Amino acid sequence: MRILAPPNATTLAGKIDAVKQLEADGFAGAFLPSMAHDAMTVLALAAGETSEIELGTYVIPTYTRHPVAMAQQALAVNAAAGGRFTLGLGLSHEVVIKDSWGLDFSSVVRHMREYLEILVPLMRGEVVHHSGAAFEVHSQVELPDCEPPPVIVAALGPQMLRVTGRLADGTALWLAGPKWIEEVVIPEMSGAASEAGKPEPRVIAGVPISVTADPDGTRERISKAYAMYNTLPSYQRVIQGSGADDPAGVSIVGSEEEVERELLRWREIGVTDFYAAFEGVDAEERQRTREFIAALAPSL
């Protein structure tokens, strides 16, 4: 199981430095959420400062980028990264897309299906003629120096997982625990991939993680810091389907031995990559967690 992590920083230069540090520390991937600075722009800049680490988005909302524009930008970033880029996509949430941005957020599964039906062939250089309910596209993206990056989708529910298994390369999960992954994610996505004649999809799973001597205090911090996810219906379903009441309930919190044992459990159920959101009661504990996970990564 490969270990990925977010390049946490607030400034553009800070994010690039954070990607460089993740590579120096031996992490397999730096996957950047799409907040503040444009994630693909940041990663294109970081590509020139790194040589081995995988660079990915976790994730970019589809609604504000037409699939033709997304294909062009993703291909350019992958070329800049020498083939190390992974494009992570997601729907976002109604409170963002409809309430904040003023865009239609109906028929979301259809939207993602059509988006991928256009985007993936375009990135392969194919001519696309698509007449659907969400998109009308007749186009081709010809960039001879660019290879198509893998595409992962933030798919949480069964319908989206089936679309992902059929049309993409894997899923980017957040706050989904082992129970949900084992009972819903892998059967739905892998079954669809198999029916489509595709390889076993990638399963990237992320939760807050902390090596701590104060598990109760850390879980309290996580509950407060991630409380917004309790207000989002898609995450409510996944957290509850994982057998938990809130984000702290799906987090990995405990001693070094307990954290290692839990990560091995995630690997055994079929998680291919773990996206580590380092947590703790203070900065020192968060740094200690990061160092422990970096040291443990080669054995996972």
Side-chain angles (χ1 to χ4, degrees), residues 39-125:
M40 284 200 283
T41 301
V42 174
L43 294 175
L45 294 169
E49 303 289 331
T50 55
S51 59
E52 297 180 355
I53 194 168
E54 181 183 9
L55 305 170
T57 54
Y58 211 86
V59 294
I60 296 175
T62 54
Y63 281 91
T64 53
R65 282 183 173 90
H66 191 280
V68 176
M70 184 74 82
Q72 293 170 320
Q73 189 176 10
L75 286 165
V77 175
N78 199 37
R84 291 183 286 127
F85 176 61
T86 293
L87 177 61
L89 302 174
L91 294 167
S92 189
H93 303 275
E94 185 172 14
V95 68
V96 176
I97 304 303
K98 180 182 177 181
D99 298 346
S100 180
W101 295 355
L103 302 175
D104 178 47
F105 196 68
S106 59
S107 305
V108 293
V109 176
R110 182 186 68 195
H111 165 89
M112 183 60 76
R113 175 179 55 78
E114 290 193 28
Y115 199 97
L116 293 171
E117 288 172 343
I118 298 165
L119 173 71
V120 175
L122 280 177
M123 293 198 299
R124 294 196 296 255

Side-chain angles (χ1 to χ4, degrees), residues 101-243:
W101 295 355
L103 302 175
D104 178 47
F105 196 68
S106 59
S107 305
V108 293
V109 176
R110 182 186 68 195
H111 165 89
M112 183 60 76
R113 175 179 55 78
E114 290 193 28
Y115 199 97
L116 293 171
E117 288 172 343
I118 298 165
L119 173 71
V120 175
L122 280 177
M123 293 198 299
R124 294 196 296 255
E126 299 174 15
V127 177
V128 172
H129 293 288
H130 178 95
S131 296
F135 294 99
E136 179 79 25
V137 174
H138 305 280
S139 187
Q140 182 180 24
V141 176
E142 294 185 278
L143 297 173
D145 60 336
C146 301
E147 294 296 322
V151 178
I152 57 173
V153 178
L156 297 176
Q159 291 186 71
M160 193 67 72
L161 286 162
R162 289 193 290 272
V163 168
T164 297
R166 186 165 61 86
L167 298 173
D169 300 296
T171 187
L173 304 170
W174 177 241
L175 298 180
K179 184 176 187 291
W180 186 262
I181 294 170
E182 195 168 23
E183 296 179 1
V184 179
V185 173
I186 292 176
E188 295 288 357
M189 185 171 63
S190 296
S194 178
E195 291 172 4
K198 298 186 63 177
E200 192 68 20
R202 189 174 181 184
V203 180
I204 308 176
V207 297
I209 186 168
S210 177
V211 176
T212 177
D214 182 10
D216 291 339
T218 299
R219 289 191 181 95
E220 183 179 353
R221 170 189 164 84
I222 291 170
S223 292
K224 292 178 180 178
Y226 298 88
M228 63 165 285
Y229 291 101
N230 293 323
T231 69
L232 301 172
S234 57
Y235 282 109
Q236 287 177 333
R237 287 191 294 270
V238 170
I239 291 169
Q240 292 169 6
S242 299

Side-chain angles (χ1 to χ4, degrees), residues 1-8 22 27-35 39 54-59 152 171-176 181 202-210 226 229 235 250-252 263 266 271-279 293 300:
M1 184 171 69
R2 302 166 74 250
I3 303 296
L4 321 174
N8 291 325
L22 286 171
F27 287 94
F31 276 56
L32 185 63
S34 185
M35 295 184 293
E54 181 183 9
L55 305 170
T57 54
Y58 211 86
V59 294
I152 57 173
T171 187
L173 304 170
W174 177 241
L175 298 180
I181 294 170
R202 189 174 181 184
V203 180
I204 308 176
V207 297
I209 186 168
S210 177
Y226 298 88
Y229 291 101
Y235 282 109
V250 294
S251 300
I252 299 176
L263 285 172
W266 288 57
V271 172
T272 60
D273 306 77
F274 182 80
Y275 181 69
F278 305 115
E279 272 298 342
I293 299 301
L300 292 173

